[in-house]
Amino acid sequence: IESLLRLMDLAGVRWERDTVVWPAVERSAGVYAIPATNRAAWDQARKRYGIHTLGVLCYDHPLFGRPPEKFGAYSREVARLLAGTVDDFEVWNEPGGFGNVSPVEYIGLLEAAYLGVKAGNPAATVVGLGGAAAGGWNGWYLPQIVQAGKHGFMDTFSIHPYCSPASLEVGYPTEGAPAPLANLENGDALTGGALAAIQQAHGGGERPRMWISEVGWPTTEVSPVGQAQAVSRAYITAASLPQLYARMFLYDVLCDGTDLDEKEHTFGLLLHDYSVRPAYVAFANTARAIDGRPFLRRLHHPDPTVRLILFGPEDAPLLAAWCTEVSPQEVISGKTADGQDARALNRVGGRLDHAVDVGFRTAAAEVTLTDWQGRTSRRSPEAGTLSLHLTTWPVTVQGVEAVLTLS
């Protein structure tokens, strides 16, 4: 665990997500203890490396099944025993898939877990839904929770917006949903404005933000290069929507096995033997670039594939820039401007030849460009114009002004 935590710390990881499995905590009825190896790992992560843990309360107990009153008691004791080490809890992991928990059953578990966690540690945060289902933006669980008036039994909720092989900033077409594409920008519509409902249920105050508690790209569906691009672009995009998203957890840090033809073995930033993959490099350099920088604004370019995002502070801003393989509008219509199949091209890493030249008016004498591998270069604008050749790899630019305009 020490080697893994060091690699996580070097990459800029500040949160991890791990299961607090019910049968492992309550080994006999009414007797609770956190497994020593888990406690030591979570304690070391937080106190030595500053990495917080989101603990997932799950799954059925072989002695009881999943009665809400017993699940609530387990949740209370976990929160009490881990206070100060783990203070954030997610209720279940993808109830639509793990345990096949129906929305009605889940509502009972959610209420019991919320009351239990708050009794065990009043300062703890309870994250509802556990993603509900992979890629579904919570589907019918969230509407049923709100309709039942139980949305006050969570401080916020989580999503698992898998969209591989597409990128999270473009997403994929939806049918009958409140938004034409499932992507990060449409998150509030896709979740029925539930953040506002939760805020109201708790008497106003600060509006909660969603947690992206799982998302990833297996290299059975995209290339290692595509995975690296997707990871970097997803984190930048999520950081540019601070009103919607609190944090994002990538699945996975470490590949689950050695068979790279097996999907579940290919999500990791690191191979099973801790070898670094391109996605680890991209993640680390993205974290290094934008960590601690507040989102300022987006610049809109005539080419809808271009992404231009400014992060603060105002007196020393950072520009993150890239272009997507296809634009959201092209995915909706199904065709690119030159008549190609846009949905077939909507694959991260699938159009490495796509590039757009962009120019900015700036008074800066010199700027510093940093690529996904952390390589830097200096550029002097000519006649007050900075020219960038953007590709599907994000680049960051330091030395620009906060008020940056297209030339």
Side-chain angles (χ1 to χ4, degrees), residues 106-107 110 129 141-151 154:
Y106 184 77
I107 288 170
L110 176 65
L129 291 177
Y141 284 77
L142 193 51
Q144 288 207 17
I145 291 170
V146 174
Q147 288 165 14
K150 300 295 185 178
H151 49 290
M154 51 185 171

Side-chain angles (χ1 to χ4, degrees), residues 27-50:
R27 288 186 169 273
S28 58
V31 179
Y32 305 92
I34 305 299
T37 53
N38 294 109
R39 177 184 283 281
W42 299 330
D43 195 61
Q44 184 179 13
R46 183 160 182 174
K47 294 179 180 177
R48 183 168 181 178
Y49 294 102

Side-chain angles (χ1 to χ4, degrees), residues 89-91 110 113-114 117-118 124-128 153-156:
F89 297 96
E90 187 175 34
V91 183
L110 176 65
Y114 181 88
V117 168
K118 296 295 184 178
T125 299
V126 176
V127 182
F153 291 105
M154 51 185 171
D155 297 312
T156 185

